[in-house]
Amino acid sequence: MKVVCHPDQKRHYPLQFLVNGVFRPNPEQPERLDCLLQAALRAGCRHEAPLIHGMEPLAAVHSGAYLEFLERAWERWQRIEGAAPAVIPNVHPDQRQVGYPASVVAQAGYHMADAAAPLADGSWASILWSAWSAVHAARLVIDGEPAAYALCRPPGHHAFADMAGGFCYLNNTAIAAELLLRAHDRVAILDVDLHHGNGTQSIFYQRADVLTVSIHADPERFYPFFWGYASEYGAGPGDGYNLNLPLARGSGDDAFLAQLDTALARIRQFAPGALVVALGLDAFEGDPFGGLRVSTRGFGEIGRRIAALTLPTLLVQEGGYLCDELGENLGSFLDGLGVD
Ligand SMILES: [Zn+2]
């Protein structure tokens, strides 16, 4: 299997994010890319750098105003006297139906759900290459590879069509799913990240051609709080095509695998032409977020059960933060998936 990523994905270097009103070191660090790439190579993957894939596949998911904001906001922010070195929002509209603001300060509040997705020097280059890694890997699968691994960093599943949040800017998983739809009538997304894939859910919420399934820590007292409940089934033509499988905080392998079996049964019933796995590794028992207690062996079993679907499969990296076992957890998952 090929692992796709570009070294410029390391240029984005977010320093801090707000937790309970306190600025803390941001765990979404560039070193994640090296750690995961080395682990993928150890597991037998072959590295391929993505090509430049233009804006068209990104614009299939994200609004033009949002893409322009991401590209230019940092440079505009630097012209504000005394501004911080990174774009961080401090004012938000009470509803999204307001008119579109002209000021970069107001646009930051409009396009950023929280203070965990700062834009600094080099951020846009990393965001763009991360999305192009997803596009590139999706094309490999469309061209007949049984599986490919898009090592996306920064991650994407908390990004909405026009809003960043939770370390995410462009929704790499959604961009990849849109591309796969050019070759298949139906695509399923399985999100195994510790956190609910709220951006991905929102993008496909009213559609029946993309099934979105997410297994995650119960959002009642956990990010992203406002989304991720079992009562969210989809809407309009998408009614019945979103499945949320929340888990009590601290759940381990058995509980996670039981939800996974429910997820896989729904995916089989949907009979998609291809699968996108939003591959977060932060459900790990030793992850700094500490929300769930999946073990290194557990990730292997998750991979094995996903492989049993025998679908063309695209892995898109989401969360999973620096700890001694981060690389091992990816290796265990890839071994379980068992694709050469
Ligand atoms: Zn996460």
Side-chain angles (χ1 to χ4, degrees):
M1 176 166 44
K2 285 178 179 160
V3 50
V4 183
C5 64
H6 191 282
D8 277 357
Q9 287 174 234
K10 292 196 287 184
R11 289 183 58 195
H12 174 57
Y13 193 167
L15 295 176
Q16 50 189 9
F17 77 129
L18 261 182
V19 186
N20 307 325
V22 181
F23 273 111
R24 298 241 185 245
N26 191 314
E28 205 290 283
Q29 291 297 301
E31 291 78 10
R32 295 179 62 241
L33 192 88
D34 294 324
C35 172
L36 293 167
L37 176 58
Q38 292 310 316
L41 296 175
R42 277 197 303 275
C45 291
R46 300 172 305 284
H47 177 246
E48 187 161 302
L51 302 172
I52 291 172
H53 287 281
M55 297 305 284
E56 187 268 334
L58 285 50
V61 167
H62 296 284
S63 73
Y66 179 56
L67 292 171
E68 191 179 323
F69 167 79
L70 290 177
E71 182 173 3
R72 298 201 46 236
W74 177 73
E75 173 199 320
R76 295 165 65 203
W77 193 261
Q78 294 316 294
R79 292 191 218 124
I80 304 172
E81 202 182 329
V87 180
I88 300 173
N90 58 266
V91 56
H92 298 275
D94 72 323
Q95 42 147 330
R96 307 275 299 152
Q97 287 76 33
V98 293
Y100 189 65
S103 142
V104 69
V105 174
Q107 286 177 9
Y110 188 91
H111 288 305
M112 292 169 147
D114 53 48
L119 286 165
D121 190 15
S123 293
W124 174 239
S126 294
I127 293 163
L128 202 49
W129 281 112
S130 184
W132 283 338
S133 288
V135 171
H136 197 96
R139 295 219 165 132
L140 292 176
V141 172
I142 289 170
D143 290 344
E145 300 264 349
Y149 173 35
L151 207 184
C152 294
R153 184 271 157 185
H157 74 150
H158 297 308
F160 289 66
D162 65 352
M163 194 162 65
F167 313 152
C168 300
Y169 305 84
L170 294 179
N171 197 311
N172 309 307
T173 288
I175 289 167
E178 277 288 0
L179 274 175
L180 289 166
L181 278 176
R182 296 180 191 178
H184 302 280
D185 293 339
R186 290 181 307 286
V187 170
I189 296 173
L190 172 61
D191 189 322
V192 297
D193 189 279
L194 165 65
H195 304 92
H196 173 244
N198 55 333
T200 316
Q201 168 175 303
S202 156
I203 288 163
F204 298 113
Y205 205 62
Q206 309 222 21
R207 286 170 50 174
D209 54 349
V210 178
L211 172 72
T212 45
V213 182
S214 181
I215 305 169
H216 49 265
D218 190 330
E220 193 173 318
R221 294 182 192 280
F222 204 70
Y223 191 88
F225 297 102
F226 301 105
W227 306 272
Y229 298 92
S231 56
E232 297 159 12
Y233 292 113
D239 190 11
Y241 294 91
N242 185 75
L243 178 61
N244 284 331
L245 299 165
L247 285 162
R249 284 281 290 279
S251 296
D253 290 349
D254 290 348
F256 195 101
L257 291 168
Q259 293 290 52
L260 180 65
D261 287 343
T262 304
L264 297 176
R266 178 68 187 97
I267 291 167
R268 279 193 183 91
Q269 183 191 37
F270 180 64
L275 174 72
V276 182
V277 180
L279 181 60
L281 296 165
D282 43 3
F284 176 54
E285 56 192 347
D287 187 272
F289 276 104
L292 294 174
R293 301 195 56 79
V294 172
S295 70
T296 299
R297 278 179 56 184
F299 284 109
E301 187 56 28
I302 293 168
R304 256 184 296 284
R305 293 191 192 187
I306 290 172
L309 289 173
T310 63
L311 285 167
T313 299
L314 176 62
L315 311 176
V316 176
Q317 186 65 46
E318 297 286 0
Y321 299 94
L322 292 171
C323 57
D324 290 346
E325 300 86 352
L326 177 61
E328 237 177 285
N329 291 338
L330 175 65
S332 175
F333 177 87
L334 293 174
D335 284 349
L337 197 69
V339 179
D340 290 334

